[in-house]
Amino acid sequence: MALVGFATLARANGILILGDSISAAYGIEKSQGWVHLFEQSLDASCSNLEVINASVSGETTAGGKSRLPGLLEQHQPEIVVIELGGNDGLRGLSPIAMRQNIAQMVSLSRESGATPVLLGMRIPPNYGEQYARLFEQQFAQLARELDVPLFPFFLEGVFEQDGIQKDGIHPTADVQPLLLDNALTVIGPLLPVGCASVSANTADQRAG
């Protein structure tokens, strides 16, 4: 019984990142992406926390929903970070369907014993004010109705720091520590004591 308990604890220490190109470090080296920086920041004092980056460039909420059950079964994570929705917006897909997909991912995560958190997204105003507003509202509504930790706009501060690649969409390597800080706002409180502060300090050092 003791061996079984230890194995269960070991498997439950993973942090699954289910994202799109932003978390997949599109256009930059993988080692420069915020997920890798997060993993590095945990190496010293929290090395038992495995970070599984299951992010795929171009992923939609429907794609994430279809992949999540297999990922949960394979990795049995303790925390699931859902960073999806941007591609739904860029393709003009239904914000209501997006919300339903994310809600199902939240439910699947909780049913597996994991704690879900959301990294929200916004759509440029050129998609239409009504669509952009409806899109943004879905994340706030999900967080409120399902009581899920949410960072409303994952790219907060990126544009102010001129941190977008030439494609006008993806963050540069220079602002990846900022993305890590944004993510830690919701991930940090769920980490064991000491891990969050180590992560934040590492991000600050890299940003400086």
Side-chain angles (χ1 to χ4, degrees):
M1 292 294 292
L3 289 176
V4 173
F6 178 81
T8 301
L9 287 173
R11 288 198 304 268
N13 279 333
I15 302 172
L16 177 67
I17 313 294
L18 186 63
D20 51 32
S21 55
I22 295 176
S23 295
Y26 178 89
I28 60 177
E29 296 293 332
K30 299 291 184 185
S31 60
Q32 296 175 313
W34 79 266
V35 177
H36 184 77
L37 298 184
F38 177 43
E39 186 174 19
Q40 279 189 315
S41 72
L42 296 173
D43 282 348
S45 62
C46 307
S47 57
N48 63 316
L49 289 173
E50 181 186 9
V51 178
I52 306 107
N53 193 355
S55 303
V56 175
S57 292
E59 185 73 289
T60 62
T61 56
K65 182 184 69 174
S66 67
R67 289 196 298 126
L68 184 55
L71 291 168
L72 292 172
E73 182 177 1
Q74 178 181 358
H75 300 289
Q76 300 185 37
E78 185 176 7
I79 300 169
V80 176
V81 180
I82 302 171
E83 183 272 298
L84 290 170
N87 287 305
D88 293 58
L90 292 176
R91 298 179 186 184
L93 302 179
S94 166
I96 306 303
M98 176 189 74
R99 176 169 58 83
Q100 293 171 342
N101 289 335
I102 296 176
Q104 290 184 50
M105 285 186 273
V106 168
S107 296
L108 287 169
S109 299
R110 286 176 169 164
E111 289 170 6
S112 75
T115 299
V117 300
L118 301 178
L119 300 178
M121 191 53 59
R122 294 174 186 165
I123 290 299
N126 59 296
Y127 280 77
E129 182 179 345
Q130 182 177 1
Y131 181 83
R133 183 171 60 252
L134 182 62
F135 180 90
E136 183 177 351
Q137 288 172 347
Q138 304 314 305
F139 292 97
Q141 184 175 345
L142 275 167
R144 182 174 61 252
E145 293 181 353
L146 301 181
D147 192 23
V148 186
L150 166 70
F151 191 88
F153 182 37
F154 188 35
L155 299 184
E156 188 73 47
V158 169
F159 294 91
E160 291 82 349
Q161 294 192 23
D162 194 24
I164 292 294
Q165 297 178 37
K166 292 181 179 180
D167 62 10
I169 297 175
H170 298 95
T172 63
D174 291 340
V175 295
Q176 295 299 312
L178 175 60
L179 293 183
L180 174 54
D181 280 342
N182 291 348
L184 283 172
T185 302
V186 288
I187 302 173
L190 302 176
L191 299 177
V193 176
C195 290
S197 60
V198 169
S199 303
N201 289 339
T202 300
D204 290 340
Q205 291 168 6
R206 291 180 183 278

